[in-house]
Amino acid sequence: MKGKKLKLFIIVILFIVQSCSSNKQIVSSVPLDVLDTSEIIKNAKKAEVNFKNLRNRVKVEFNDGKSTQSIILSLRATENESLWISASMIVPIAKIFLDNERIIFYEKFQKTYVDQDISQLMRLAGIKKPVKLIQNLLFGKPLIEINNTGWERIKNSNFYVLQSSVGLQNTVFINPETFQLEQQRLYLPFISSLLTIDYANFKRINDNLLPTSVKISSMQGSTIISINLEYSQYDFPDALTFPMDIPEAVSYTHLRAHETGRNGVSRVMRLK
């Protein structure tokens, strides 16, 4: 009798353990067909970078197919709210501060200065939160937020691939083992351009798994522009400052919306 009770007890324990295990994240080095889109999205969101304040140093290499230029950026960010960048080429050359309603920009060589409300420009461009959009691009989050209704899964042997089914075509490639975003593609039909962003060399810092290498490629017809970003010195301070000391002898300018194309759909921002 005791033996039967012991056997029943073991079966119950095994059942409980198995039930608990089924709630854990499924980890596999290859995509699993049994994992539905909602589970992929849930695990990908858990793997996303989250921070209050972030600070790092970035080496940037720009190549337009004709020439290559390198600059160093000091970058500071509060998540989804503000972004500060100081650029240098041996000596400081520019500073920019951006929040979701305002831009301040100073360029040393031309001595140009911008301090402008950008809310109207962002509405024209259809962008609600420009800072969030830029930070998503820089730190490996989808440019268009993934959800359970606007995305469909595409068969792939190496990644979980999701593609937006409404609006702009955004395709994301998610690592099946870490659920980190390793590549995303955004097609811009109004300028016939394909934007591809690759994320690599992930490093765990605190509770975040962060890319230390980002490659941004823009292809429009036969023209290819690439920007390589190499991150170093990630830091998550309790507080940040955004110094924007502007010299007196500068020329004030401003951004304006400029429409192109027959139907006026394409709009870009430019200095005036």
Side-chain angles (χ1 to χ4, degrees):
M1 187 68 176
K2 290 183 178 180
K4 290 183 178 179
K5 289 183 178 179
L6 180 60
K7 184 177 179 180
L8 180 60
F9 175 75
I10 293 173
I11 291 173
V12 171
I13 293 298
L14 290 175
F15 176 78
I16 293 173
V17 170
Q18 184 179 15
S19 299
C20 292
S21 299
S22 64
N23 292 325
K24 294 182 178 180
Q25 177 177 299
I26 299 175
V27 177
S28 172
S29 59
V30 295
L32 301 175
D33 292 335
V34 296
L35 206 60
D36 62 26
T37 301
S38 62
E39 284 296 316
I40 296 170
I41 292 173
K42 183 174 71 174
N43 287 319
K45 284 183 174 293
K46 286 181 181 178
E48 287 181 350
V49 174
N50 291 289
F51 60 89
K52 178 183 177 183
N53 299 309
L54 181 149
R55 179 170 55 195
N56 74 356
R57 187 176 175 85
V58 189
K59 180 181 178 181
V60 182
E61 184 177 272
F62 175 87
N63 188 331
D64 63 358
K66 298 177 182 178
S67 62
T68 301
Q69 291 183 329
S70 296
I71 62 173
I72 300 296
L73 303 180
S74 293
L75 186 151
R76 302 176 187 180
T78 56
E79 188 171 28
N80 300 334
E81 296 297 330
S82 57
L83 185 66
W84 176 92
I85 297 173
S86 176
S88 62
M89 297 175 66
I90 302 178
V91 296
I93 59 172
K95 286 184 179 180
I96 182 170
F97 173 81
L98 178 71
D99 63 23
N100 290 310
E101 297 180 349
R102 182 186 180 203
I103 185 172
I104 304 174
F105 172 75
Y106 168 62
E107 196 276 309
K108 184 176 182 180
F109 292 151
Q110 300 296 324
K111 294 185 178 180
T112 55
Y113 167 58
V114 173
D115 186 350
Q116 181 178 342
D117 184 293
I118 59 170
S119 55
Q120 183 179 0
L121 292 176
M122 292 300 101
R123 282 195 297 270
L124 288 172
I127 300 172
K128 294 181 179 179
K129 295 185 177 181
V131 173
K132 182 178 180 180
L133 183 68
I134 295 172
Q135 290 183 3
N136 285 358
L137 183 149
L138 292 175
F139 305 126
K141 291 185 179 182
L143 296 175
I144 299 175
E145 186 175 358
I146 54 177
N147 54 57
N148 292 328
T149 57
W151 293 77
E152 58 185 19
R153 183 176 175 180
I154 297 175
K155 186 76 172 179
N156 187 283
S157 59
N158 297 311
F159 297 96
Y160 291 121
V161 180
L162 303 177
Q163 188 174 87
S164 56
S165 56
V166 294
L168 293 177
Q169 187 181 96
N170 189 194
T171 307
V172 298
F173 295 75
I174 299 168
N175 185 298
E177 190 167 4
T178 64
F179 287 92
Q180 294 293 327
L181 179 64
E182 293 200 1
Q183 186 185 93
Q184 60 178 323
R185 302 172 187 172
L186 182 66
Y187 180 66
L188 306 172
F190 42 85
I191 55 174
S192 299
S193 178
L194 177 64
L195 186 68
T196 303
I197 308 107
D198 293 284
Y199 304 94
N201 301 327
F202 287 84
K203 182 178 180 181
R204 184 165 294 281
I205 303 175
N206 296 341
D207 294 327
N208 287 307
L209 194 59
L210 295 148
T212 61
S213 178
V214 178
K215 181 178 180 180
I216 305 168
S217 300
S218 173
M219 183 169 63
Q220 186 176 17
S222 59
T223 302
I224 299 176
I225 296 174
S226 64
I227 303 173
N228 292 327
L229 309 176
E230 296 293 334
Y231 299 156
S232 62
Q233 303 177 13
Y234 269 114
D235 183 27
F236 299 93
D238 292 331
L240 285 173
T241 59
F242 306 105
M244 290 296 295
D245 299 324
I246 309 298
E248 292 184 2
V250 295
S251 175
Y252 179 80
T253 186
H254 66 279
L255 298 170
R256 66 183 178 89
H258 174 68
E259 294 189 354
T260 60
R262 294 180 180 178
N263 57 7
V265 173
S266 175
R267 296 182 175 94
V268 296
M269 290 184 296
R270 61 191 302 180
L271 290 174
K272 182 179 179 181

